[in-house]
Amino acid sequence: MTQPSNQDHWQAVLRQQKLANAQRWVAKIAAHDDPAELIASDYDNFLRALETTLQSSDTFDLAYQLIESLYYIALDYADWDRWLVYLKKALEISQTINLQNEEANLLTQLGDIYHHTAELQLAEELYQAALEKFETLQDDSRVASTLAKLAILYDLKGNPQKGIALCKKALSVAENSHDESVIAQVNVNLSSIFSRSRNWTASLAASEKAYAYYQKLDNQKFATKALLNIVAIWAELGKWEEVEKVSAELITTLSSSGDVRTLSQLMNNLGVVAYNQTNFHAAENYWQDALRSHSQFQEPTEQATIYNNLGVVYTKMEEWETAKEMLEQAVQAHDQLGDVYNWANSLDNLADLYEAQGETAVARQVLKKAYAGLQTIADSPHAQTLMDSITQRLKSHSSEI
């Protein structure tokens, strides 16, 4: 019988040491008062432990524990490419050893990443596959959560009515299961859909419900995200004092936690406040800060919005070339995302730029292009409102549409 080589022996020893180290990291997370703080301080070590446990199906249980502990914290780091590799490997193992629940959760997590990177068709396919498995497993909480995720995708693809319908279905399922954390999540997503449709009253009501649930559950991380939504709506409603009062505290909280992604969203919202108060230089600074933050994680949907906002404020400041560059980037980004409404809205803003420069013929062509695109989603109330506005603008130049 052939004896194992000395090299094989030491490789086996090293692997056992790495597995023991991974087990220690899992135990540390379980025992720590603030897992997010622990993970932030030793993120690379946690990832090395995860990589070790993903090398074999025998250690999948340990790998899955690490994924569940790390994933939602890592989402805020926007470490998309690396996590796609980890999750695909974990999914492959879960399918090989037929772990249905773990497979469904991993499908959802992969869908989340593709959602954040604006690969919406892939995200939808993964969410649908996960939903079917959760329904088979009769896991109502996960069914409701996945329905809410799908709702956001339908809204982004220009069908807010279906998004709202799915959220209401998700709420019904979540309430029947008495899962307050999922009820909160569904309300966050419902608020987002109402917000994109400019229904600020409904959006605020849903965000306030989510915030109340997260406070009740003592989930400060997600309570902060819900509060961020509330601040954004206050900005749209002109409640400047409320925005300024809460924002200072939010900036401190987000900066100390290292949540760059959420901090960037707050800066975007504060830019809206400054712009609506005609403080254009302050708005520019907030939006440039948000754009710099986005260079760290490249979330396409939010980035497109920031380009649009900067284009609008540079138009007001008569910095024509910069304004045109920003608006054209916004148009291109929204087009790539398949976001017809915001694509048309950025074209509308680009037309403002051309009109301000006296190029009315070019502005008219841009408006016609936006109007034609909006006709594909004309049944959406906010799209119809923008179409009506564009119609009036075109009539001011000519009676022909």
Side-chain angles (χ1 to χ4, degrees), residues 69-284:
S69 299
L70 298 171
Y71 172 72
Y72 288 103
I73 294 168
L75 266 186
D76 289 330
Y77 301 163
D79 194 5
W80 314 132
D81 292 340
R82 191 153 44 174
W83 272 87
L84 281 174
V85 174
Y86 298 149
L87 293 175
K88 286 178 180 179
K89 179 61 177 176
L91 178 63
E92 178 187 334
I93 296 172
S94 72
Q95 291 169 333
T96 300
I97 58 181
N98 196 30
L99 294 174
Q100 296 287 313
N101 182 67
E102 288 81 354
E103 180 186 353
N105 284 336
L106 290 163
L107 285 167
T108 304
Q109 290 167 348
L110 277 166
D112 290 342
I113 292 183
Y114 284 123
H115 177 183
H116 286 300
T117 56
E119 296 176 77
L120 302 186
Q121 187 56 42
L122 273 174
E124 182 180 347
E125 291 168 6
L126 288 158
Y127 287 154
Q128 288 287 7
L131 179 62
E132 290 175 12
K133 291 191 175 295
F134 287 134
E135 288 174 338
T136 300
L137 294 164
Q138 297 183 325
D139 187 339
D140 285 349
S141 292
R142 298 284 192 175
V143 166
S145 175
T146 311
L147 284 170
K149 292 173 185 287
L150 280 167
I152 289 290
L153 292 187
Y154 284 117
D155 176 51
L156 290 173
K157 292 166 76 172
N159 194 343
Q161 292 86 351
K162 186 166 184 178
I164 291 168
L166 280 181
C167 271
K168 289 181 177 178
K169 181 179 178 181
L171 270 179
S172 176
V173 175
E175 287 167 352
N176 286 337
S177 68
H178 305 290
D179 190 326
E180 293 184 334
S181 65
V182 177
I183 294 172
Q185 177 210 337
V186 176
N187 272 294
V188 167
N189 288 16
L190 187 59
S191 173
S192 176
I193 295 171
F194 281 131
S195 177
R196 283 170 54 82
S197 299
R198 288 11 184 208
N199 187 341
W200 306 121
T201 302
S203 182
L204 182 60
S207 278
E208 286 174 340
K209 286 180 184 176
Y211 181 70
Y213 274 113
Y214 284 133
Q215 288 284 77
K216 179 182 176 182
L217 294 165
D218 196 28
N219 188 332
Q220 291 307 310
K221 176 182 175 67
F222 285 94
T224 297
K225 291 180 182 292
L227 184 56
L228 181 69
N229 290 347
I230 292 170
V231 169
I233 299 163
W234 283 345
E236 295 290 348
L237 296 173
K239 297 184 177 182
W240 316 128
E241 290 183 9
E242 290 93 329
V243 171
E244 291 170 5
K245 180 179 176 182
V246 174
S247 293
E249 182 181 338
L250 274 174
I251 289 172
T252 301
T253 300
L254 295 170
S255 298
S256 62
S257 68
D259 188 347
V260 179
R261 181 164 155 257
T262 308
L263 182 61
S264 171
Q265 292 171 336
L266 176 60
M267 291 299 174
N268 193 13
N269 295 341
L270 291 175
V272 173
V273 173
Y275 179 86
N276 286 332
Q277 292 177 311
T278 67
N279 191 344
F280 300 137
H281 286 288
E284 177 202 3

Side-chain angles (χ1 to χ4, degrees), residues 49-68:
L50 176 57
E51 288 163 6
T52 297
T53 58
L54 282 171
Q55 289 174 9
S56 168
S57 60
D58 293 339
T59 52
F60 177 77
D61 181 63
L62 192 55
Y64 188 74
Q65 289 180 61
L66 279 166
I67 287 171
E68 288 295 282

Side-chain angles (χ1 to χ4, degrees), residues 118 120 156-157 196 198 299-309 326-347 349:
L120 302 186
L156 290 173
K157 292 166 76 172
R196 283 170 54 82
R198 288 11 184 208
E299 189 164 16
T301 303
E302 188 83 7
Q303 194 169 42
T305 300
I306 297 168
Y307 281 136
N308 176 78
N309 292 348
M326 291 294 168
L327 288 170
E328 286 179 343
Q329 287 194 66
V331 169
Q332 182 180 3
H334 286 309
D335 187 38
Q336 290 174 346
L337 291 165
D339 186 342
V340 176
Y341 175 80
N342 282 306
W343 167 83
N345 185 60
S346 292
L347 283 173
N349 292 330

